[in-house]
Amino acid sequence: MNEVRQTRESIRIHAPDDFAGMHVAGQLAATILDEVGPMVQPGVTTGALDDFIRARIEAAGATSATIGYRGYQHASCISVNHVVCHGIPGDKLLTNGDILNIDVTVIVDGWYGDTSRMYVAGTPSVKARRLIEVTHDSLMKGIEAVRPGATFGDIGAAIQQHAESHRMSVVRDFCGHGLGRVFHAPPNVLHYGKPRTGAVLEEGMFFTIEPMINLGRPETKVLQDEWTAVTRDKSLSAQFEHSIGVTATGAEIFTLSPAGTFFPPIAT
Ligand code: MF3
Ligand code: CO
Ligand code: CO
């Protein structure tokens, strides 16, 4: 996700034919997230999950958007428990009850597919399950607000309203982003806001919505590795992400799970 920074650049409007390219890229990313699901088990390392993702992207003849991106060296971000986003895969062993987000971005024929979802290793706590459900539902409320004539503030407000009504908090320090033939483009898609504010949505805009929701306070900090973002109060954090396009009547979700396993996470 983007660090929050406002720009004056304009939001690209894509042609009807461009939706097909985004669909193919989005479906590959979603398929890989489907396939990695059964591997998420206590005793597996996050590095082993990333190795699978890297090999799977290669086998598909596609390219990882994250390897080499600003010096990042992995095919996924894997963010466990109080890690908010940009967790670096490595020799960390998953243990029973861990919750984790896996975020994959692929490039297929120049188009970017960016999606993430939550997984559980073994049996999560009740409060962790509630966090995951509220985060998923927040994303879907944001997507439901998408249609030509609505505003980016409408999306943020829908997400914030749902999360805060469950006494959870919306991370402010990272946001969704425009994408298409580039990874991160205008606008910044904030996951909080006020209805009827911000840029107006138009058919042909492509962007991600990827709310990060915390059980505790919203503040984050980035660790010394310069990537891993964690909650300052060490509370659990969750995130779901879809890449979408604005259609004449609403949204096309490019990254829908072919297996139907986006949510809920399957206990492993
Ligand atoms: N996929 C992330 C996003 O949703 C970006 C990850 S960039 C990386 O925008 F370098 F950390 F991989
Ligand atoms: Co993204
Ligand atoms: Co992502």
Side-chain angles (χ1 to χ4, degrees):
M1 47 265 40
N2 267 351
E3 280 174 51
V4 176
R5 185 161 30 82
Q6 286 305 332
T7 75
R8 290 161 179 282
E9 296 163 79
S10 60
I11 304 168
R12 182 171 201 100
I13 304 300
H14 297 85
D17 285 352
D18 297 342
F19 282 72
M22 287 297 285
H23 175 82
V24 173
Q27 287 298 288
L28 176 62
T31 298
I32 294 170
L33 290 188
D34 287 349
E35 291 176 0
V36 78
M39 293 180 65
V40 177
Q41 302 274 356
V44 77
T45 67
T46 56
L49 301 175
D50 186 70
D51 289 343
F52 168 80
I53 291 164
R54 181 187 301 244
R56 185 62 182 79
I57 294 170
E58 198 170 306
T63 304
S64 164
T66 57
I67 297 172
Y69 176 78
R70 297 192 185 180
Y72 195 77
Q73 292 179 5
H74 304 272
S76 62
C77 298
I78 304 186
S79 302
V80 182
N81 294 337
H82 74 296
V83 179
V84 173
C85 63
H86 300 164
I88 301 174
D91 48 22
K92 181 191 166 57
L93 282 171
L94 297 179
T95 65
N96 183 47
D98 282 346
I99 66 166
L100 52 147
N101 174 279
I102 305 182
D103 189 340
V104 171
T105 311
V106 299
I107 312 169
V108 182
D109 291 337
W111 297 101
Y112 284 68
D114 184 6
T115 182
S116 78
R117 66 176 82 152
M118 295 302 294
Y119 300 82
V120 300
T123 311
S125 67
V126 170
K127 65 181 199 274
R129 278 183 16 220
R130 271 189 67 235
L131 170 66
I132 291 170
E133 177 173 357
V134 168
T135 305
H136 170 267
D137 292 354
S138 297
L139 167 61
M140 298 319 289
K141 303 253 178 206
I143 294 174
E144 282 165 23
V146 173
R147 55 170 178 78
T151 69
F152 283 95
D154 293 337
I155 298 172
I159 294 165
Q160 181 179 14
Q161 152 64 26
H162 187 74
E164 292 182 354
S165 75
H166 292 270
R167 310 180 65 138
M168 299 178 193
S169 65
V170 177
V171 169
R172 304 317 202 242
D173 301 334
F174 300 93
C175 59
H177 49 92
L179 84 173
R181 288 190 196 273
V182 291
F183 196 173
H184 293 113
N188 283 333
V189 180
L190 305 185
H191 303 116
Y192 61 95
K194 300 211 185 311
R196 309 310 307 156
T197 65
V200 176
L201 304 190
E202 293 176 44
E203 187 175 354
M205 288 180 176
F206 295 165
F207 54 88
T208 72
I209 307 179
E210 48 183 300
M212 289 140 276
I213 306 295
N214 298 347
L215 272 184
R217 293 192 50 82
E219 292 82 10
T220 71
K221 67 173 180 193
V222 175
L223 301 185
Q224 298 249 310
D225 62 24
E226 294 184 348
W227 282 105
T228 310
V230 299
T231 54
R232 282 196 173 262
D233 65 5
K234 304 224 166 60
S235 66
L236 287 179
S237 187
Q239 180 179 29
F240 284 86
E241 174 176 27
H242 272 315
S243 296
I244 70 169
V246 182
T247 66
T249 54
E252 176 177 345
I253 303 176
F254 299 125
T255 46
L256 281 178
S257 162
T261 53
F262 190 67
F263 177 85
I266 290 155
T268 52

Coordinates of all heavy atoms in Angstrom, one line a residue, residues 44-82:
V44 N 5.1 -23.9 9.8 CA 5.6 -23.5 8.5 C 6.2 -22.1 8.7 O 5.8 -21.3 9.5 CB 4.5 -23.5 7.4 CG1 3.6 -22.3 7.5 CG2 5.1 -23.6 6.0
T45 N 7.2 -21.8 7.9 CA 7.8 -20.4 7.9 C 7.2 -19.5 6.9 O 6.7 -20.0 5.8 CB 9.3 -20.4 7.7 OG1 9.6 -20.8 6.3 CG2 10.1 -21.4 8.6
T46 N 7.2 -18.2 7.2 CA 6.6 -17.3 6.2 C 7.5 -17.3 4.9 O 7.0 -17.1 3.8 CB 6.5 -15.9 6.8 OG1 7.8 -15.5 7.3 CG2 5.5 -15.8 7.9
G47 N 8.8 -17.6 5.1 CA 9.7 -17.7 3.9 C 9.3 -18.8 3.0 O 9.4 -18.7 1.8
A48 N 8.8 -19.9 3.6 CA 8.4 -21.1 2.7 C 7.1 -20.7 1.9 O 7.0 -21.1 0.8 CB 8.1 -22.3 3.6
L49 N 6.2 -19.9 2.6 CA 5.0 -19.5 1.8 C 5.4 -18.6 0.7 O 4.9 -18.7 -0.4 CB 4.1 -18.8 2.8 CG 3.6 -19.6 4.0 CD1 2.8 -18.7 4.9 CD2 2.8 -20.8 3.6
D50 N 6.4 -17.7 0.9 CA 6.9 -16.8 -0.1 C 7.6 -17.5 -1.2 O 7.4 -17.2 -2.4 CB 7.8 -15.7 0.5 CG 8.2 -14.7 -0.5 OD1 7.3 -13.9 -0.9 OD2 9.4 -14.7 -1.0
D51 N 8.3 -18.6 -0.9 CA 9.0 -19.4 -1.9 C 8.0 -20.0 -2.9 O 8.2 -20.0 -4.1 CB 9.8 -20.5 -1.3 CG 11.1 -20.0 -0.6 OD1 11.5 -18.9 -0.8 OD2 11.6 -20.8 0.3
F52 N 6.9 -20.5 -2.3 CA 5.8 -21.1 -3.1 C 5.2 -20.0 -4.0 O 5.0 -20.2 -5.3 CB 4.7 -21.7 -2.2 CG 3.5 -22.0 -3.0 CD1 3.4 -23.2 -3.8 CD2 2.4 -21.1 -3.1 CE1 2.3 -23.5 -4.6 CE2 1.3 -21.4 -3.9 CZ 1.2 -22.6 -4.6
I53 N 5.0 -18.8 -3.5 CA 4.3 -17.7 -4.3 C 5.3 -17.3 -5.4 O 4.8 -17.2 -6.6 CB 4.0 -16.6 -3.3 CG1 2.8 -17.0 -2.4 CG2 3.6 -15.3 -4.1 CD1 2.6 -16.1 -1.2
R54 N 6.5 -17.2 -5.1 CA 7.5 -16.8 -6.1 C 7.5 -17.8 -7.3 O 7.5 -17.5 -8.5 CB 8.9 -16.7 -5.5 CG 10.0 -16.3 -6.5 CD 11.4 -16.4 -5.8 NE 11.4 -15.6 -4.6 CZ 12.3 -14.5 -4.5 NH1 13.1 -14.2 -5.4 NH2 12.3 -13.8 -3.3
A55 N 7.6 -19.1 -6.9 CA 7.6 -20.2 -7.9 C 6.4 -20.2 -8.8 O 6.4 -20.5 -10.0 CB 7.9 -21.5 -7.2
R56 N 5.2 -20.0 -8.1 CA 3.9 -20.0 -8.8 C 3.8 -18.9 -9.8 O 3.2 -19.1 -10.9 CB 2.8 -20.0 -7.7 CG 1.5 -20.2 -8.2 CD 1.3 -21.5 -8.9 NE -0.1 -21.6 -9.4 CZ -0.5 -21.1 -10.6 NH1 0.3 -20.4 -11.3 NH2 -1.8 -21.2 -11.0
I57 N 4.3 -17.7 -9.4 CA 4.3 -16.6 -10.4 C 5.1 -16.9 -11.6 O 4.7 -16.7 -12.7 CB 4.7 -15.3 -9.7 CG1 3.8 -14.9 -8.6 CG2 4.9 -14.1 -10.7 CD1 4.3 -13.7 -7.7
E58 N 6.3 -17.4 -11.3 CA 7.2 -17.8 -12.4 C 6.6 -18.9 -13.3 O 6.7 -18.7 -14.5 CB 8.5 -18.3 -11.8 CG 9.7 -18.3 -12.7 CD 11.0 -18.6 -11.9 OE1 11.3 -17.9 -11.0 OE2 11.7 -19.5 -12.3
A59 N 6.0 -19.9 -12.7 CA 5.4 -21.0 -13.5 C 4.3 -20.5 -14.4 O 4.0 -21.0 -15.4 CB 4.9 -22.1 -12.5
A60 N 3.6 -19.4 -13.9 CA 2.5 -18.8 -14.8 C 3.1 -17.9 -15.9 O 2.3 -17.4 -16.7 CB 1.6 -18.0 -13.8
G61 N 4.4 -17.7 -15.9 CA 5.0 -16.8 -16.9 C 4.7 -15.4 -16.6 O 4.8 -14.5 -17.5
A62 N 4.4 -15.1 -15.4 CA 4.1 -13.7 -15.0 C 5.3 -13.1 -14.2 O 6.3 -13.8 -14.0 CB 2.9 -13.7 -14.1
T63 N 5.2 -11.9 -13.7 CA 6.3 -11.2 -13.0 C 5.7 -10.8 -11.7 O 4.6 -10.3 -11.6 CB 6.7 -10.0 -13.8 OG1 7.1 -10.4 -15.1 CG2 7.9 -9.3 -13.2
S64 N 6.6 -10.9 -10.6 CA 6.2 -10.3 -9.3 C 6.5 -8.8 -9.4 O 7.5 -8.3 -9.8 CB 7.1 -10.9 -8.3 OG 7.1 -10.1 -7.1
A65 N 5.5 -8.0 -8.9 CA 5.6 -6.6 -8.9 C 6.4 -6.1 -7.7 O 6.9 -5.0 -7.7 CB 4.2 -5.9 -8.9
T66 N 6.6 -7.0 -6.7 CA 7.3 -6.5 -5.5 C 8.8 -6.8 -5.5 O 9.5 -6.0 -4.8 CB 6.6 -7.1 -4.3 OG1 6.6 -8.6 -4.4 CG2 5.1 -6.7 -4.1
I67 N 9.2 -7.8 -6.2 CA 10.6 -8.1 -6.2 C 11.3 -7.0 -7.0 O 11.0 -6.8 -8.2 CB 10.9 -9.5 -6.9 CG1 10.3 -10.6 -6.1 CG2 12.4 -9.7 -7.0 CD1 10.4 -12.0 -6.7
G68 N 12.2 -6.3 -6.3 CA 12.9 -5.2 -6.9 C 12.2 -3.8 -6.7 O 12.7 -2.8 -7.1
Y69 N 11.0 -3.9 -6.2 CA 10.3 -2.6 -5.9 C 10.9 -1.9 -4.7 O 10.8 -2.4 -3.6 CB 8.8 -2.9 -5.7 CG 7.9 -1.7 -5.4 CD1 7.5 -0.8 -6.4 CD2 7.6 -1.4 -4.1 CE1 6.8 0.3 -6.1 CE2 6.8 -0.3 -3.8 CZ 6.4 0.6 -4.8 OH 5.7 1.7 -4.5
R70 N 11.5 -0.7 -5.0 CA 12.1 0.1 -4.0 C 13.0 -0.8 -3.1 O 13.1 -0.6 -1.9 CB 11.1 0.8 -3.0 CG 10.2 1.8 -3.8 CD 9.5 2.6 -2.8 NE 8.5 3.5 -3.4 CZ 7.7 4.3 -2.7 NH1 7.8 4.3 -1.4 NH2 6.9 5.1 -3.3
G71 N 13.7 -1.8 -3.7 CA 14.7 -2.6 -3.0 C 14.1 -3.8 -2.3 O 14.8 -4.6 -1.7
Y72 N 12.7 -3.9 -2.4 CA 12.1 -5.1 -1.7 C 12.5 -6.4 -2.5 O 12.6 -6.4 -3.7 CB 10.6 -4.9 -1.7 CG 9.8 -5.9 -0.8 CD1 9.8 -5.6 0.6 CD2 9.1 -7.0 -1.3 CE1 9.1 -6.5 1.4 CE2 8.5 -7.8 -0.4 CZ 8.4 -7.6 0.9 OH 7.8 -8.4 1.8
Q73 N 12.7 -7.5 -1.8 CA 13.3 -8.7 -2.4 C 12.4 -9.9 -2.4 O 12.8 -11.0 -2.7 CB 14.6 -9.0 -1.7 CG 15.6 -7.9 -2.0 CD 17.0 -8.2 -1.4 OE1 17.2 -9.2 -0.8 NE2 17.8 -7.2 -1.5
H74 N 11.1 -9.8 -2.1 CA 10.2 -10.9 -1.9 C 9.0 -10.8 -2.8 O 8.6 -9.7 -3.3 CB 9.8 -11.1 -0.5 CG 11.0 -11.2 0.4 ND1 11.7 -12.3 0.7 CD2 11.8 -10.2 1.0 CE1 12.7 -12.1 1.5 NE2 12.8 -10.8 1.7
A75 N 8.4 -12.0 -3.1 CA 7.2 -12.0 -4.0 C 5.9 -11.8 -3.2 O 4.8 -11.7 -3.8 CB 7.1 -13.4 -4.6
S76 N 6.0 -11.6 -1.9 CA 4.8 -11.3 -1.1 C 5.2 -10.5 0.1 O 6.4 -10.4 0.5 CB 4.1 -12.6 -0.6 OG 5.0 -13.4 0.2
C77 N 4.2 -9.9 0.7 CA 4.3 -9.4 2.1 C 3.5 -10.3 3.0 O 2.4 -10.6 2.6 CB 3.8 -7.9 2.2 SG 4.7 -6.8 1.2
I78 N 4.1 -10.7 4.1 CA 3.4 -11.6 5.0 C 3.4 -10.9 6.4 O 4.5 -10.8 7.0 CB 3.9 -13.0 5.0 CG1 3.9 -13.6 3.6 CG2 3.1 -13.9 6.0 CD1 4.3 -15.0 3.4
S79 N 2.2 -10.5 6.9 CA 2.1 -9.6 8.1 C 1.4 -10.4 9.1 O 0.2 -10.6 9.0 CB 1.4 -8.3 7.7 OG 2.1 -7.7 6.6
V80 N 2.1 -10.8 10.2 CA 1.6 -11.7 11.2 C 1.2 -10.9 12.5 O 2.0 -10.1 13.0 CB 2.7 -12.8 11.6 CG1 2.1 -13.8 12.6 CG2 3.1 -13.5 10.3
N81 N 0.0 -11.2 13.0 CA -0.5 -10.7 14.3 C -0.5 -9.1 14.3 O -1.3 -8.5 13.7 CB 0.2 -11.3 15.4 CG -0.1 -12.8 15.5 OD1 -1.1 -13.3 15.0 ND2 0.8 -13.6 16.1
H82 N 0.4 -8.5 15.1 CA 0.4 -7.1 15.2 C 1.1 -6.4 14.1 O 1.3 -5.1 14.1 CB 1.0 -6.7 16.6 CG 2.4 -6.8 16.7 ND1 3.1 -8.0 16.6 CD2 3.4 -5.9 16.9 CE1 4.4 -7.8 16.7 NE2 4.6 -6.5 16.9

